Amino acid sequence: SALNIVGFVGETKCVAITLISEDSSVKCVAPSGTGGRKDLRIQVAGVSVHLEKSIMYEAPKITAINPVSVPSESAGEISVFGINFGVIDMSPKAVIVGVASDPCFKTQWISDSSLKCVALAASQGKSRNTIQLLIDGVKSRIERAVFFEYTDSLSYHTACNRDVSEQCFDCVVSFCYSFHLHKQDLLSGDILHFCELAAAQFCGYQDFTD
């Protein structure tokens, strides 16, 4: 009887389970989910059959980005829309992919179909960019993504000499901090960290971490 059969995808119970054949097959309606491969576990009268990493949800897919033009120097907030972002907050990571690959300063999960990325200042000025998501080990596909563009150049592109040096780093932090303190587009406690990441990005500190 199907009443004695229970199925799980990962740790989540099947939405419904149907007995197809008395001794050979059942059908599990998988719960909503996202991410990497999940185990399938079927229990029949207390006896468990375990198929490791046999189920994989579809990868996240981005269908729209708003706005499509982002000021280079601002901590621009970008809304990302699509599918398979997770039915719960799985701490997605968003990376801006263009001339360089730069992580969003902050990524905020909203729902299975939307999230927000606070973009770092553009390290390379105006260019064609997209966003790639990493959710539970699965990446969205860049070739099917939509694009946005930075609209202007950063003040420190001309004010600071670009090289891997303390002078470059301090110059960018100074310009960046003054700009965002005046603009008030970031929480005061976030400005220094944001500007240090922007400086590391601009000056070429490849191993700088947050």
Side-chain angles (χ1 to χ4, degrees), residues 62-169:
I62 296 173
T63 57
I65 293 174
N66 184 52
V68 294
S69 295
V70 180
S72 297
E73 196 148 14
S74 298
E77 185 175 88
I78 303 171
S79 294
V80 182
F81 303 97
I83 57 175
N84 303 325
F85 293 177
V87 293
I88 60 173
D89 185 356
M90 302 182 74
S91 301
K93 297 185 184 300
V95 175
I96 296 172
V97 181
V99 176
S101 293
D102 301 313
C104 293
F105 178 63
K106 287 184 178 179
T107 303
Q108 179 187 2
W109 177 86
I110 305 296
S111 71
D112 189 44
S113 59
S114 67
L115 56 80
K116 291 185 183 295
C117 156
V118 177
L120 278 170
S123 60
Q124 301 288 343
K126 188 173 181 178
S127 62
R128 195 169 184 240
N129 303 272
T130 189
I131 291 178
Q132 184 174 44
L133 303 179
L134 177 64
I135 302 175
D136 196 22
V138 178
K139 293 181 179 180
S140 59
R141 298 175 180 173
I142 294 179
E143 66 270 17
R144 296 184 179 181
V146 290
F147 295 88
F148 71 94
E149 189 173 65
Y150 288 111
T151 57
D152 48 25
S153 296
L154 297 163
S155 61
Y156 54 73
H157 277 182
T158 54
C160 303
N161 292 323
R162 188 173 195 170
D163 56 20
V164 183
S165 68
E166 185 176 339
Q167 289 79 9
C168 175
F169 190 91

Side-chain angles (χ1 to χ4, degrees), residues 141-208:
R141 298 175 180 173
I142 294 179
E143 66 270 17
R144 296 184 179 181
V146 290
F147 295 88
F148 71 94
E149 189 173 65
Y150 288 111
T151 57
D152 48 25
S153 296
L154 297 163
S155 61
Y156 54 73
H157 277 182
T158 54
C160 303
N161 292 323
R162 188 173 195 170
D163 56 20
V164 183
S165 68
E166 185 176 339
Q167 289 79 9
C168 175
F169 190 91
D170 290 344
C171 178
V172 173
V173 170
S174 177
F175 271 89
C176 175
Y177 192 91
S178 297
F179 176 86
H180 291 291
L181 193 64
H182 175 74
K183 188 175 177 63
Q184 296 184 332
D185 59 345
L186 287 169
L187 295 175
S188 58
D190 286 341
I191 296 176
L192 181 60
H193 181 49
F194 180 92
C195 291
E196 286 177 340
L197 289 175
Q201 182 187 83
F202 178 78
C203 299
Y205 285 88
Q206 299 296 327
D207 58 349
F208 186 89

